[in-house]
Amino acid sequence: MEHRLVITPRAAALAGRLPAGDLPSYLYDLAALGEHARAVRAALPESVELSYAAKANPAPEILTALAPYVSGYEVSSGGELAHVREAVPGLPLAFGGPGKTEDELRLALGLRTERIHAESESELRLLAALAAERPGDAPVDVLLRVNLPAGDGELGGAALAMGGRPSPFGLDPRRAEACLPLLRGTRLRLRGIHAHLASGLDAPALLAVAARVTAWARALDERHGLGLTEVNVGGGMAVDYARPHARFDWAAYGAGLAALAAGHPGYRLRIEPGRALTAHSGWYVTEVLDIKHSHGEAFAVVRGGTHHLRTPAAKGHDQPFTVLPTDAWERPWPRPAALDEPVTISGQLCTPKDVLARAVPVAELRAGDRIAFAMAGAYAWNISHHDFLMHPAPTFHFLS
Ligand SMILES: *Cc1c(COP(=O)(O)O)cnc(C)c1O
């Protein structure tokens, strides 16, 4: 189905009146984003900290719009660390990710990064050695990222699994014990445990993960008298590209976290969603260049493509969209059109993989019409292969 009105009225109005030379364009509705983040924050118990995983969309305007509602940001590289520190100075950062380099860890120490999520014994040793070179600094607060085995069927619904099975992410829980002696006598302070096992889970599945991670942290804490104070249960809240009006059930998740927190006094719980915070507040707007029929099927070729919006190619879905009809057809020949039939929407790249939506029924689509692809506020422009074929970059508009 073509999805009518999967766009806010303000974004639709701007999408319709942008000069043709501005297309393709990414539009972000920062007011809608702020309203969504406010509602997410309100659904969570006060004691739970909400961080934003910057890799979902690190645009400074997005980071700033979220700032009133989050207590910090999760960053996954030295580049993100420096960028987010500059965009939203003064807000706490947690630095995670596998394969942190010596330079990145030095940068993290230099920028006084509030939390470092250590992903291996070797990384912990390197961090301890680098921290020892800075005896004047405050101790470095560290969480161990663990890759706990998943409960039965728990990650079955996940779009992407980073853990719960063999993976390069985090520590095997059996190795966590071996990390504890490495911390002794160092300038590192073990604050707690971090886990981010999968993306694309619903609230009950994520609550089961959170409960298991927290119970595991407590058991480790009690076995060794560690005095842990924090458990970061990760992000991964589901975004359903087939149901663009649906939202993750933040109310149920918040209620479940409140119960979990009540059962673990002394532990501060933290979550770090990316996609579910920003996906719904961005659109990729473009125009139909041509429509043709090939071996009985209709194809609409749009300006731009998956080198700007790689999400549908990367995840294998149809990107939901709204057609914004235009009357502008000034050519002296008939306007190419598809009428009441399934249309495959492809881009300008010379590869059959450049498909944004496949065989989607539309009432009417004509060359010159505009299309606003929804759910393009996360893992969209910033995961795309911009340089392939050397087409011009899109423009960016942030509606405040
Ligand atoms: C990517 C990532 C997140 C955010 O995941 P979403 O699916 O966007 O919510 C959170 N934590 C870590 C460690 C990540 O790598």
Side-chain angles (χ1 to χ4, degrees):
M1 268 290 289
E2 161 202 352
H3 297 282
R4 294 220 162 262
L5 303 178
V6 235
I7 185 164
T8 61
R10 307 162 70 231
L14 178 59
R17 69 166 189 269
L18 277 180
D22 271 18
L23 298 176
S25 183
Y26 268 98
L27 308 188
Y28 302 94
D29 188 334
L30 297 181
L33 175 61
E35 178 51 32
H36 174 57
R38 192 198 57 72
V40 168
R41 180 59 268 181
L44 298 170
E46 240 173 79
S47 69
V48 170
E49 284 186 7
L50 172 65
S51 279
Y52 171 58
K55 78 171 183 290
N57 186 335
E61 293 86 347
I62 299 276
L63 299 175
T64 303
L66 290 171
Y69 310 104
V70 299
S71 38
Y73 299 83
E74 190 264 346
V75 297
S76 296
S77 72
E80 282 191 355
L81 182 59
H83 169 82
V84 178
R85 190 54 114 203
E86 193 184 332
V88 278
L91 284 169
L93 304 184
F95 180 26
K100 298 181 193 73
T101 65
E102 179 174 332
D103 285 349
E104 286 178 315
L105 290 173
R106 278 187 199 283
L107 177 72
L109 295 179
L111 291 176
R112 307 281 198 275
T113 304
E114 284 75 6
R115 295 289 181 274
I116 297 182
H117 296 163
E119 303 233 358
S120 78
E121 287 155 78
S122 168
E123 187 177 289
L124 208 54
R125 289 180 197 272
L126 177 57
L127 184 61
L130 298 175
E133 295 173 3
R134 310 175 59 100
D137 287 3
V140 178
D141 288 318
V142 171
L143 274 66
L144 293 181
R145 179 176 181 180
V146 292
N147 173 10
L148 293 187
D152 270 353
E154 208 169 76
L155 306 184
L160 282 178
M162 269 65 64
R165 61 172 190 198
S167 92
F169 303 102
L171 284 153
D172 186 303
R174 286 166 301 193
R175 301 301 303 168
E177 234 75 53
C179 287
L180 302 177
L182 303 180
L183 290 157
R184 260 178 238 133
T186 69
R187 311 197 74 289
L188 310 184
R189 180 163 60 185
L190 182 62
R191 287 286 205 162
I193 297 299
H194 170 240
H196 171 71
L197 298 187
S199 276
L201 295 179
D202 63 12
L206 272 181
L207 285 169
V209 169
R212 228 158 26 72
V213 171
T214 309
W216 186 88
R218 179 165 296 279
L220 181 79
D221 192 1
E222 287 175 354
R223 273 201 306 282
H224 299 277
L226 299 173
L228 302 183
T229 53
E230 299 175 13
V231 182
N232 182 330
V233 296
M237 295 71 186
V239 162
D240 188 346
Y241 291 87
R243 291 162 60 234
H245 294 286
R247 293 291 180 275
F248 179 79
D249 190 348
W250 288 102
Y253 188 58
L257 287 182
L260 182 62
H264 291 278
Y267 283 2
R268 178 165 289 277
L269 300 182
R270 186 176 304 131
I271 63 172
E272 48 182 23
R275 192 185 306 268
L277 282 179
T278 50
H280 293 93
S281 305
W283 294 266
Y284 176 63
V285 179
T286 185
E287 63 169 341
V288 177
L289 294 173
D290 200 358
I291 295 201
K292 48 188 160 183
H293 289 80
S294 172
H295 298 272
E297 290 184 21
F299 290 82
V301 182
V302 297
R303 192 183 291 278
T306 54
H307 54 305
H308 294 167
L309 176 62
R310 187 167 158 263
T311 328
K315 291 182 69 73
H317 62 233
D318 295 328
Q319 198 71 22
F321 63 89
T322 300
V323 175
L324 305 166
T326 59
D327 292 329
W329 180 257
E330 280 146 21
R331 315 230 187 254
W333 53 83
R335 191 171 181 180
L339 265 184
D340 214 2
E341 60 186 317
V343 178
T344 292
I345 303 178
S346 59
Q348 294 174 288
L349 303 184
C350 305
T351 159
K353 296 191 175 176
D354 189 22
V355 172
L356 295 156
R358 200 175 294 278
V360 177
V362 294
E364 183 181 44
L365 187 62
R366 302 161 301 173
D369 283 342
R370 293 184 177 188
I371 296 183
F373 289 95
M375 304 177 79
Y379 303 107
W381 166 249
N382 65 320
I383 65 156
S384 303
H385 43 295
H386 310 153
D387 294 336
F388 187 43
L389 260 80
M390 300 177 74
H391 286 294
T395 61
F396 292 83
H397 296 270
F398 295 87
L399 282 162
S400 49

